[in-house]
Amino acid sequence: MIKTLPAIVAALAGVVLIGLALWRWHDHGWGSLIWLIALIAMFVVRTPHSLRNRANVVTQARKDATEITLLAGMFLTTMVLPLLYLATDMFDFADYAAPDWTVWIGTLAQIPFLWLFWRSHADLGRNWSPGLEVREAHELVTDGVYDRIRHPMYAAIWISALAQPLLIHNWIGGFLVVPAFAAMWFIRVPHEEAMMRARFGEAWNAYCARSGRLWPKRYYDGAPS
């Protein structure tokens, strides 16, 4: 009970902030409403996988200070700071002006973001984890959306991160997610790929040879380029 209490408190606080942000969306424009809808959809996609995969037996995990800092930075910039901004008058001093077309681009970007986010969770199944972990009976997934892209979930989050400042016109509540996720991408992904290489060996190397990290490799005469 002691371990779950902070999670319950955090969840209740999140619900309250989301409710307040929805109530006040008109104060920040309709882009904020699109962002909130996408945030709720993201929770709907991820929560069943999080609950199911708690039963996974983890055989290797990286939980050092760097990993904790990166995850904390993402949690702050993708959820806490935007919700505090939208639900209160906090950070209004950091607003910036942007043309209406930026909101339309941010809105359209939610389509590939949510599709990739859903599909990558569905294709990974029990192999997904929010942290850098290898589970017992871990499998190398190379089909579905992972056929030609090694990191479709990161691709989805890149889309979301770049769209957030287009929907939320605030340097703290909207823009800070971009450098936060850039740090995660450039620091975390090499460690993640090293774990996969150690686990799967030549199968991973062969997969890397035919797949791109965020975008499919092009093929000419059967050879990747």
Side-chain angles (χ1 to χ4, degrees), residues 159-179:
I159 295 170
S160 176
L162 293 174
Q164 184 167 307
L166 303 179
L167 298 173
I168 301 176
H169 300 158
N170 183 271
W171 291 108
I172 297 173
F175 181 78
L176 277 184
V177 68
V178 177

Side-chain angles (χ1 to χ4, degrees), residues 32-184:
S32 65
L33 181 60
I34 297 299
W35 181 85
L36 285 164
I37 293 171
L39 177 69
I40 294 169
M42 184 183 71
F43 276 115
V44 170
V45 169
R46 174 161 283 188
T47 299
H49 295 276
S50 297
L51 295 174
R52 181 191 62 189
N53 290 4
R54 286 179 182 177
N56 285 351
V57 177
V58 177
T59 59
Q60 181 183 358
R62 179 187 175 93
K63 295 182 179 179
D64 58 13
T66 299
E67 172 73 357
I68 294 171
T69 300
L70 291 173
L71 290 175
M74 285 300 295
F75 179 67
L76 281 173
T77 58
T78 60
M79 297 183 197
V80 177
L81 295 179
L83 286 174
L84 283 174
Y85 168 68
L86 296 177
T88 70
D89 293 328
M90 198 177 295
F91 313 136
D92 282 359
F93 64 89
D95 283 351
Y96 55 82
D100 290 342
W101 58 262
T102 62
V103 179
W104 283 105
I105 292 177
T107 299
L108 292 174
Q110 302 311 302
I111 300 172
F113 157 56
L114 289 174
W115 185 86
L116 269 175
F117 193 75
W118 162 70
R119 191 65 258 174
S120 54
H121 278 84
D123 287 341
L124 275 182
R126 294 298 295 268
N127 299 290
W128 174 76
S129 170
L132 290 186
E133 297 176 348
V134 174
R135 74 177 185 91
E136 191 175 74
H138 202 116
E139 298 175 346
L140 178 59
V141 178
T142 61
D143 54 5
V145 75
Y146 286 86
D147 182 31
R148 299 281 296 280
I149 307 174
R150 297 198 297 280
H151 301 291
M153 195 174 300
Y154 284 103
I157 300 173
W158 262 122
I159 295 170
S160 176
L162 293 174
Q164 184 167 307
L166 303 179
L167 298 173
I168 301 176
H169 300 158
N170 183 271
W171 291 108
I172 297 173
F175 181 78
L176 277 184
V177 68
V178 177
F181 186 63
M184 172 163 280

Side-chain angles (χ1 to χ4, degrees), residues 12 25 38 96 119 126 130 160 204 210 212 217 221:
L12 290 175
W25 72 266
Y96 55 82
R119 191 65 258 174
R126 294 298 295 268
S160 176
W204 174 259
R210 68 174 179 82
K217 288 184 177 181
D221 298 325

